[in-house]
Amino acid sequence: MIDFDDFNFLDDSPRNASISIISDIDASKANIYDNEISEDKEVPILPLRNTMLFPGTLLPITIGRRSSLRMINEVNKTGAIVGVFSQKDDSVESPETNDLYEYGVVAKVVKVLELPDGNRTALMQGFNRIGLTEAHDNGDYLVGHIYKAPEMIPSNRDREFNAVVDACKDVAEKLFRSSEFRNFDMSFNLRNLSNKTFLINFICANLPISCQEKFEMLRESNMTQRAFQLLALLNREYQFVSLKASIQMRTQEDLNRQQREYFLHQEMKNIQEELGEDADSDIDNLQQRAKRKKWNEKTREFFNREIGRLRRMNPQSPEYQTQYDYLDTFVGLPWNEGTKDNLNLKNAERVLNQDHFGMEKVKERILEHLAVLKTRGDFKSPIICLYGPPGVGKTSLGKSIARAMKRAYVRMSLGGLHEEAEIRGHRRTYVGAMPGRIMKGIQQAKSCNPVFILDEIDKLGQDTFHGDPSSALLEVLDPEQNSAFHDNYLDCDFDLSKVMFIATANNIGSIPAPLLDRMELIEVSGYLTEEKIEIAKRHLVPQQLEKLGMEKSGIKVSTDAIERIIENYTRESGVRELDKKLNKLLRKLTLQYAREGELEKKNIGAKDIEDLLGPVEFTRDKYQGNDYAGVVTGLAWTSVGGEILFIETSLSKGKGQKLTLTGNLGDVMKESAVLALEYIKAHADRLSIDPRVFDCWNIHIHVPEGAVPKDGPSAGITIATSLASALTQRKVRKNVAMTGEITLRGKVLPVGGIKEKILAAKRAGITDIMLCHENEKDIKQIPEKYVKGVTFHYVENVEDVWQFALLDEKVAKPIELTIEEEKKE
């Protein structure tokens, strides 16, 4: 006997999609209506919501739609069959063909009952599996055309089917007995079902899963495969129920532990109060420090919210210490607490000149900034990038700027840094999180407007897994963004606009373009020998004597001695190596003083250098004269300053137009040689060269010091002049050096490193320098003392170079006459 008062359904479907009843009809009669199913015949269609009827099962359905009620009343009188299909979307009130699932079952109305609330419930018995071709409304209710969809039922001796059915039965019993369902009637029914096919359909109908998943099983015609699908879903649901129960148990245990710790903490707090100790003293200390901070309303509100979280935490929990460390860092930052700038321009200029010799552009830029601050009172600090060769004093200049402006000084080395979190910090969700190095530097300076040195910015690394630190620096070095710099650990905007960032680099070519665009570039070029001597006398020698404790010894190093060290023991643009050599020299004297108690000689001259520092390490290249055809002096830029180089061309008899290049040349320099030779071949008549020369003579171009790699296009006109001199045997003008790139049309293009190249030429005794006319603007920017004694010749094409550099005087018999003599012989 079925008690329908226990059911509460809505609108053609059970509210809970798992209330199927065991049929009184023998399950073997499930396909008894096969003869009544044909596609030509229209049958009433009953659309279900949120449930699905399977063959052989009974299902009570509350009728909600008027059309469905009319249909149920009619078929209840006639005993006709009904096609039962489930809706894809429960919200559709008037379903059509596309709104229904393709497969359903044939059903009969067993009984219609009136419920106490006025609703009517129909008890439906499922039989054959069918498919739906088309459905439409006939005016009274939904009708449609159906077709047979037979099922493949395995035999009772199929061991695989029997095993999977038993597995489904076991898992279903455990599932329905679990605390999540507690349906003991369902477990009892499963134990009393003997027909295996009906058992599978019964579990499918009652399993609390979605209608789509039930349809996937109804669509499967092979009963064995349907059983396997059912077993997978049963295991999933049972694992979910078990996991949920486990989580609830653990949560309950954690809650009990937290309650116990809370009561113990309260008891400890009462004991501390009795003893006169304040348990919240640390938090109160944070709040007292926070009151003195010059925060805006948004920042103060953020802090109050975070300290409120701290008060609610258990002091014994790890999260408490993490939150406390965060707030301690937050309060420890110098929010709007900076030093007052010394705006005395004369004092700033005196300090800068006292600490560093030269560097006029940098000093002028700092004085300009101080002048704007003095007149305006408030101004965003500039972001400067000092670039130049190593050892010229870029990093130490930051200390002088900080001293001149009376600001705090912070230095951050970026060499090899490859993790974005080093700049922006780690989020507090990570264990061991900390602020980025920018905020650490600000905290270390205890000032919101320090001079911040970003050292070696061109040597930033990149890492696929840790982000791009150069991109993180974009916000730091953008004057329009750094007023609200966001550190991941701090999680609150900090104003960096008052910080004077000074970046240093050796090679700006390796700095990303977006980062380079945000900085003001100032070149710090190499020093003249005269400048190095002044730096050594004013700074290096006194510093080394102080380091060695010999400042009162009376040691003096003469100008000639310093010049000897510079010329013969160092090869650099800066003074770092010079400082090391001076240290070595003075250490020798310190050892002598420590051994004997006195010095044999206190005034060190040029003659004493070799005894103290050993044999000469470097010899400067000197101009070698113009006695040989094909030897031309060029100018090159290196990382340690400018150098002169010699291009040598020789000819040898042979066949096949062979060009040999030696001297450890790079690809660009080799291309310049090929380019120069092709231009000469195309314009041989301009040099009065017989074109047959190229077929009878091999050409060899060599650049001395073959162990040193050489590359770049600036030797183009030098190679072209060397080739022209060798092929015509004309002498090259004395004391001439040249630099410039050439094109296939013979045009001369500008090159870089002009200042360093000029210094190298002066050291070698060069008096005339040839370069592109576009480089004239670079010459105008160089102070007069650097270019004194050198005459510049500006050219536009290679023929202008030949016209000045090549003399009419021949070194030997011209090559073309030699060819004529061979013909006569």
Side-chain angles (χ1 to χ4, degrees):
M1 180 67 183
I2 302 170
D3 187 1
F4 290 103
D5 291 339
D6 294 336
F7 299 105
N8 185 12
F9 305 118
L10 289 176
D11 204 16
D12 298 3
S13 68
R15 185 187 300 272
N16 302 317
S18 59
I19 305 181
S20 177
I21 305 169
I22 297 179
S23 172
D24 296 330
I25 300 173
D26 187 356
S28 62
K29 299 178 182 179
N31 296 327
I32 59 176
Y33 292 102
D34 276 351
N35 296 331
E36 298 186 30
I37 301 173
S38 66
E39 296 187 9
D40 297 333
K41 183 178 178 181
E42 282 189 349
V43 297
I45 301 297
L46 178 63
L48 301 183
R49 293 177 176 175
N50 197 30
T51 190
M52 189 165 290
L53 185 62
F54 279 76
T57 59
L58 272 171
L59 186 68
I61 301 172
T62 299
I63 307 302
R65 297 186 181 98
R66 292 183 178 181
S67 59
S68 298
L69 185 61
R70 286 194 295 269
M71 186 264 290
I72 289 296
N73 289 334
E74 182 177 329
V75 299
N76 188 36
K77 294 177 182 178
T78 61
I81 61 172
V82 178
V84 180
F85 293 88
S86 297
Q87 290 184 201
K88 298 177 181 178
D89 185 357
D90 295 342
S91 63
V92 178
E93 289 295 329
S94 301
E96 299 179 354
T97 306
N98 293 333
D99 298 321
L100 301 175
Y101 284 110
E102 181 183 354
Y103 291 100
V105 296
V106 170
K108 294 274 289 186
V109 178
V110 178
K111 195 172 184 179
V112 178
L113 299 175
E114 293 283 348
L115 297 180
D117 58 359
N119 289 328
R120 186 168 294 182
T121 296
L123 186 63
M124 306 295 295
Q125 169 73 55
F127 292 98
N128 307 57
R129 194 175 73 103
I130 57 174
L132 180 64
T133 303
E134 180 266 338
H136 64 275
D137 193 340
N138 66 357
D140 292 327
Y141 48 81
L142 194 66
V143 296
H145 295 280
I146 59 175
Y147 61 90
K148 298 177 183 179
E151 297 174 315
M152 296 173 59
I153 309 297
S155 67
N156 293 331
R157 297 179 180 178
D158 190 327
R159 300 181 64 182
E160 182 183 31
F161 178 68
N162 292 335
V164 71
V165 171
D166 290 341
C168 289
K169 184 176 180 180
D170 293 340
V171 179
E173 285 188 32
K174 291 191 290 184
L175 180 64
F176 290 123
R177 285 200 305 267
S178 66
S179 59
E180 183 75 13
F181 295 97
R182 293 288 182 183
N183 196 333
F184 296 107
D185 291 337
M186 198 68 66
S187 300
F188 176 78
N189 290 337
L190 288 174
R191 286 196 297 270
N192 289 281
L193 286 175
S194 58
N195 187 290
K196 299 185 182 299
T197 303
F198 178 69
L199 177 65
I200 295 299
N201 289 336
F202 178 74
I203 298 174
C204 290
N206 288 277
L207 190 62
I209 56 177
S210 67
C211 205
Q212 176 63 34
E213 290 177 319
K214 288 186 176 182
F215 171 71
E216 295 296 332
M217 290 189 289
L218 181 64
R219 183 169 59 180
E220 180 56 60
S221 61
N222 190 317
M223 188 59 67
T224 303
Q225 294 301 320
R226 186 185 298 176
F228 275 112
Q229 291 181 12
L230 175 61
L231 181 60
L233 292 172
L234 283 169
N235 283 322
R236 185 195 69 184
E237 293 298 316
Y238 183 69
Q239 289 176 8
F240 175 76
V241 169
S242 301
L243 180 61
K244 187 174 180 181
S246 176
I247 291 172
Q248 288 176 344
M249 185 176 297
R250 288 203 306 269
T251 305
Q252 184 66 32
E253 290 176 356
D254 290 343
L255 182 60
N256 293 337
R257 181 175 57 82
Q258 288 179 3
Q259 287 176 343
R260 179 173 175 272
E261 290 178 354
Y262 174 75
F263 288 127
L264 289 174
H265 175 65
Q266 289 298 113
E267 187 175 350
M268 186 183 299
K269 183 177 179 181
N270 294 333
I271 293 172
Q272 287 175 339
E273 289 178 355
E274 291 292 332
L275 295 174
E277 299 177 1
D278 188 3
D280 295 330
S281 59
D282 290 340
I283 300 178
D284 293 338
N285 182 35
L286 284 176
Q287 287 190 317
Q288 290 298 325
R289 291 164 59 191
K291 289 179 181 178
R292 298 191 292 269
K293 292 295 176 180
K294 302 174 183 178
W295 285 331
N296 55 34
E297 190 63 30
K298 183 178 179 181
T299 306
R300 189 167 295 280
E301 181 182 347
F302 178 84
F303 174 80
N304 291 335
R305 185 169 64 250
E306 292 296 322
I307 204 168
R309 289 181 56 197
L310 181 65
R311 286 191 179 278
R312 294 190 296 270
M313 288 181 179
N314 183 355
Q316 307 302 319
S317 66
E319 291 83 1
Y320 179 90
Q321 189 60 42
T322 301
Q323 181 73 356
Y324 178 81
D325 292 341
Y326 164 69
L327 290 174
D328 185 53
T329 302
F330 194 93
V331 176
L333 287 171
W335 300 83
N336 298 317
E337 300 169 7
T339 56
K340 186 177 181 181
D341 290 330
N342 183 357
L343 302 179
N344 189 328
L345 298 181
K346 291 184 178 180
N347 175 69
E349 188 174 8
R350 178 183 60 80
V351 171
L352 292 174
N353 290 331
Q354 183 180 349
D355 290 350
H356 286 80
F357 186 83
M359 298 189 180
E360 303 302 332
K361 288 185 180 179
V362 187
K363 295 175 181 178
E364 184 180 0
R365 182 64 185 90
I366 301 304
L367 294 175
E368 288 173 357
H369 176 64
L370 289 177
V372 174
L373 282 176
K374 189 172 183 178
T375 55
R376 180 172 174 173
D378 184 23
F379 187 64
K380 288 184 177 180
S381 293
I383 295 171
I384 298 171
C385 179
L386 307 177
Y387 71 96
V392 294
K394 301 183 296 296
T395 304
S396 61
L397 185 62
K399 286 185 179 180
S400 298
I401 294 173
R403 192 162 76 91
M405 300 178 67
K406 295 293 180 67
R407 286 192 178 190
Y409 169 79
V410 184
R411 176 183 169 273
M412 173 181 170
S413 178
L414 299 176
L417 190 145
H418 62 277
E419 190 171 351
E420 180 187 354
E422 291 286 336
I423 304 295
R424 290 187 179 276
H426 303 78
R427 297 192 181 277
R428 281 182 287 155
T429 52
Y430 295 102
V431 176
M434 60 182 67
R437 294 176 65 180
I438 297 293
M439 298 313 302
K440 279 185 180 179
I442 298 296
Q443 187 177 20
Q444 174 189 346
K446 299 180 181 178
S447 169
C448 66
N449 62 342
V451 174
F452 205 120
I453 303 297
L454 299 172
D455 213 4
E456 309 291 356
I457 198 172
D458 58 328
K459 296 175 179 62
L460 275 173
Q462 289 190 7
D463 193 318
T464 307
F465 302 102
H466 298 96
D468 182 7
S470 63
S471 299
L473 278 175
L474 294 178
E475 184 182 4
V476 178
L477 299 181
D478 192 337
E480 301 301 324
Q481 298 182 43
N482 62 10
S483 59
F485 174 69
H486 189 85
D487 185 273
N488 290 330
Y489 179 82
L490 200 62
D491 203 20
C492 186
D493 293 342
F494 191 91
D495 186 5
L496 295 178
S497 63
K498 298 176 183 177
V499 180
M500 178 178 282
F501 287 102
I502 299 179
T504 69
N506 298 130
N507 180 19
I508 59 174
S510 58
I511 302 176
L515 192 58
L516 199 64
D517 183 58
R518 286 162 167 79
M519 298 185 291
E520 182 178 346
L521 299 178
I522 299 179
E523 182 180 8
V524 183
S525 55
Y527 295 114
L528 289 168
T529 301
E530 293 78 12
E531 290 177 328
K532 291 182 180 180
I533 293 172
E534 288 297 321
I535 292 171
K537 291 170 65 176
R538 294 185 185 186
H539 303 286
L540 302 183
V541 173
Q543 288 174 6
Q544 290 298 338
L545 287 172
E546 184 179 356
K547 285 181 182 179
L548 298 172
M550 300 288 287
E551 61 269 29
K552 296 180 181 180
S553 62
I555 296 175
K556 293 183 180 179
V557 184
S558 67
T559 302
D560 294 338
I562 296 174
E563 184 176 0
R564 177 70 62 87
I565 296 173
I566 294 170
E567 294 293 336
N568 299 123
Y569 292 89
T570 66
R571 178 171 285 180
E572 58 177 348
S573 294
V575 292
R576 186 171 292 146
E577 190 66 25
L578 173 60
D579 192 36
K580 294 178 183 178
K581 295 301 180 183
L582 288 171
N583 178 268
K584 181 179 179 181
L585 182 145
L586 295 173
R587 283 201 318 267
K588 298 280 187 182
L589 298 176
T590 303
L591 177 60
Q592 181 184 349
Y593 181 80
R595 280 178 176 174
E596 303 175 5
E598 60 179 354
L599 294 171
E600 295 180 1
K601 194 173 185 180
K602 295 183 178 181
N603 295 323
I604 308 302
K607 297 179 181 179
D608 304 317
I609 296 301
E610 192 165 346
D611 294 334
L612 293 169
L613 295 182
V616 171
E617 297 180 12
F618 302 104
T619 55
R620 293 289 180 183
D621 290 328
K622 299 296 182 182
Y623 178 67
Q624 298 179 356
N626 64 338
D627 296 333
Y628 303 94
V631 180
V632 183
T633 305
L635 299 175
W637 179 91
T638 68
S639 60
V640 296
E643 295 286 347
I644 67 169
L645 55 83
F646 301 101
I647 306 294
E648 302 175 349
T649 301
S650 67
L651 305 174
S652 61
K653 291 183 179 181
K655 296 181 180 180
Q657 301 183 0
K658 183 179 179 182
L659 174 63
T660 305
L661 301 172
T662 56
N664 202 351
L665 308 182
D667 292 337
V668 177
M669 203 165 181
K670 289 178 181 178
E671 291 171 358
S672 296
V674 174
L675 200 66
L677 181 59
E678 290 300 321
Y679 181 80
I680 291 175
K681 286 182 179 180
H683 301 82
D685 56 332
R686 306 275 181 91
L687 295 169
S688 302
I689 299 174
D690 192 327
R692 291 172 297 174
V693 167
F694 303 106
D695 297 326
C696 301
W697 293 82
N698 295 328
I699 300 174
H700 186 163
I701 299 176
H702 176 68
V703 183
E705 296 188 25
V708 179
K710 311 171 193 71
D711 201 6
S714 60
I717 62 173
T718 313
I719 296 173
T721 306
S722 176
L723 284 169
S725 174
L727 290 169
T728 60
Q729 291 297 299
R730 292 166 62 181
K731 280 189 175 183
V732 179
R733 189 182 297 273
K734 285 185 177 182
N735 300 320
V736 171
M738 56 191 70
T739 181
E741 182 181 356
I742 63 170
T743 68
L744 196 58
R745 295 172 296 154
K747 290 187 65 66
V748 179
L749 303 180
V751 292
I754 297 299
K755 179 183 175 183
E756 286 79 4
K757 291 176 180 179
I758 292 172
L759 299 184
K762 288 189 67 176
R763 287 195 299 265
I766 300 296
T767 58
D768 295 274
I769 297 178
M770 304 185 70
L771 63 165
C772 176
H773 67 95
E774 293 185 26
N775 282 123
E776 186 175 1
K777 63 180 185 300
D778 301 315
I779 301 297
K780 293 179 179 179
Q781 296 178 3
I782 300 175
E784 182 66 28
K785 61 181 178 181
Y786 292 163
V787 298
K788 187 177 180 180
V790 179
T791 304
F792 296 97
H793 303 272
Y794 303 106
V795 295
E796 294 188 7
N797 53 61
V798 177
E799 293 186 17
D800 294 339
V801 178
W802 292 340
Q803 185 176 357
F804 178 79
L806 295 180
L807 303 176
D808 294 333
E809 182 182 356
K810 306 285 185 176
V811 177
K813 190 182 294 184
I815 298 299
E816 57 267 28
L817 295 181
T818 306
I819 295 174
E820 294 297 329
E821 290 179 356
E822 287 181 355
K823 288 181 180 180
K824 291 178 181 179
E825 293 177 359

